[in-house]
Amino acid sequence: MTSSHTDCHFCLQPLRGKKYALREENAYCVPCYDSLYANPCEECKQPIECNSKDLAYKGHHWHEGCFRCAKCSGSLVEKPFAAKDEVLLCTECYSDEYSSKCFHCQKTIMPGSRKMEFKGSSWHESCFVCQYCQQPLGTKPLITKDNENYCVPCFEKQFAHHCYACKKVITSGGVTYHDQPWHKECFVCAVCKTQLSRQRFISKDEYPYCVDCFSKFYAKKCAACKKPITALGGAKYISFEEHQWHEECFNCAKCLVSLVGQEFLARQDDILCQKCGS
């Protein structure tokens, strides 16, 4: 501004015909105003004179030409920018440095765009899709296989096993028996329906049986002690004609000497050593 009616409020020099600046209704010559009130530029540290544009952000000031991205040096005047640790960055540089990378396409997820997070990784919303049908997963239930995500119907169609007993999909865990998959809760004794996934069992005609049921309905009985011969744990037994014995029960009916590996005589339902039989 120029004036011929006032003096500088600080140095009292006449301002007639000169440029001056107003502050709180007081007029100052340009040198006095700059020395008293000009803000130092955050970048070049020089004062921002009254005839220059002063750009301010959070208490800091810059010349218009100094207001640039700290990484690529591109001007930030009238452009969106972000601050990190008091350093100004254009949105592209900020994204490259600090924004998440999409797990699928490995490109930056730009600030302000919607991202999906799953198991500690991030995706563009458009990249977070079922690997098979390519439909968006959003917040739908999903299953991961080999680092790829699938909606439940597609996973079941492509990969899931079906229980041999109930024919329904096995989504986790399960038991394999006779090369067939079973739900743990479906893998039960064919007679009493007790779950067998953590118990000893015996197989007969492709069906599993708990030890008690197998012993009760199918196991041969020892001719001596009348208890079932199950062969569990590697137990041995002796068979002769229509009779079977536990190895430890295969003794002479008279003197009780073990006949395992020895010659013996059969008399009705008893077995005798040669000495007792003679």
Side-chain angles (χ1 to χ4, degrees):
M1 302 179 83
T2 59
S3 174
S4 57
H5 302 291
T6 184
D7 297 333
C8 173
H9 183 71
F10 185 73
C11 69
L12 303 180
Q13 294 296 315
L15 297 175
R16 187 179 301 112
K18 298 179 180 180
K19 290 182 178 182
Y20 69 94
L22 289 175
R23 183 180 178 86
E24 297 176 355
E25 299 184 358
N26 295 315
Y28 296 85
C29 65
V30 170
C32 287
Y33 184 89
D34 288 343
S35 64
L36 292 172
Y37 302 114
N39 295 305
C41 175
E42 192 71 23
E43 177 65 22
C44 69
K45 310 306 179 184
Q46 298 299 314
I48 303 173
E49 299 172 341
C50 64
N51 57 356
S52 299
K53 184 177 287 188
D54 185 334
L55 300 179
Y57 175 72
K58 289 189 175 181
H60 300 287
H61 299 264
W62 289 263
H63 290 104
E64 185 176 16
C66 295
F67 195 58
R68 297 179 177 276
C69 171
K71 185 177 181 183
C72 70
S73 298
S75 175
L76 298 177
V77 178
E78 296 183 357
K79 293 182 179 179
F81 63 90
K84 180 70 174 178
D85 300 328
E86 298 186 357
V87 174
L88 302 185
L89 298 168
C90 64
T91 53
E92 290 80 4
C93 290
Y94 182 88
S95 297
D96 289 341
E97 287 289 324
Y98 303 108
S99 293
S100 302
K101 298 291 191 298
C102 176
F103 183 85
H104 178 73
C105 69
Q106 295 303 309
K107 294 181 180 179
T108 299
I109 301 175
M110 298 297 289
S113 62
R114 188 175 181 184
K115 69 177 180 179
M116 310 302 295
E117 294 187 350
F118 178 65
K119 289 186 176 181
S121 297
S122 301
W123 280 262
H124 292 109
E125 186 177 22
S126 58
C127 292
F128 194 59
V129 298
C130 171
Q131 179 67 17
Y132 185 75
C133 69
Q134 296 299 306
Q135 293 301 305
L137 290 170
T139 57
K140 297 177 182 177
L142 61 92
I143 300 174
T144 300
K145 178 178 173 62
D146 299 330
N147 288 329
E148 298 289 356
N149 299 319
Y150 298 85
C151 64
V152 173
C154 286
F155 181 86
E156 292 179 353
K157 181 178 179 180
Q158 294 296 306
F159 305 110
H161 296 292
H162 290 75
C163 177
Y164 182 78
C166 70
K167 311 306 179 186
K168 294 181 180 179
V169 170
I170 300 173
T171 57
S172 63
V175 176
T176 299
Y177 171 69
H178 279 231
D179 295 325
Q180 297 292 345
W182 303 60
H183 290 112
K184 288 183 179 180
E185 57 271 21
C186 292
F187 189 61
V188 298
C189 172
V191 176
C192 70
K193 307 305 180 184
T194 300
Q195 288 193 22
L196 300 176
S197 59
R198 295 185 180 181
Q199 296 188 37
R200 294 191 299 176
F201 63 90
I202 300 172
S203 174
K204 178 178 173 57
D205 300 330
E206 297 187 359
Y207 288 96
Y209 296 83
C210 68
V211 175
D212 290 341
C213 287
F214 184 86
S215 299
K216 180 178 180 180
F217 292 101
Y218 299 107
K220 298 180 182 299
K221 303 297 191 293
C222 175
C225 70
K226 309 305 180 184
K227 294 180 180 179
I229 300 173
T230 63
L232 284 175
K236 296 179 181 180
Y237 68 96
I238 310 297
S239 181
F240 176 69
E241 294 182 347
E242 298 297 325
H243 302 290
Q244 289 80 30
W245 292 261
H246 293 109
E247 187 178 67
E248 62 272 20
C249 294
F250 193 60
N251 302 322
C252 174
K254 203 168 187 181
C255 69
L256 302 181
V257 67
S258 175
L259 298 177
V260 177
Q262 306 295 321
E263 293 183 354
F264 61 90
L265 300 172
R267 182 176 296 168
Q268 295 180 351
D269 291 334
D270 292 331
I271 51 172
L272 302 167
C273 65
Q274 285 186 330
K275 182 178 179 181
C276 292
S278 62

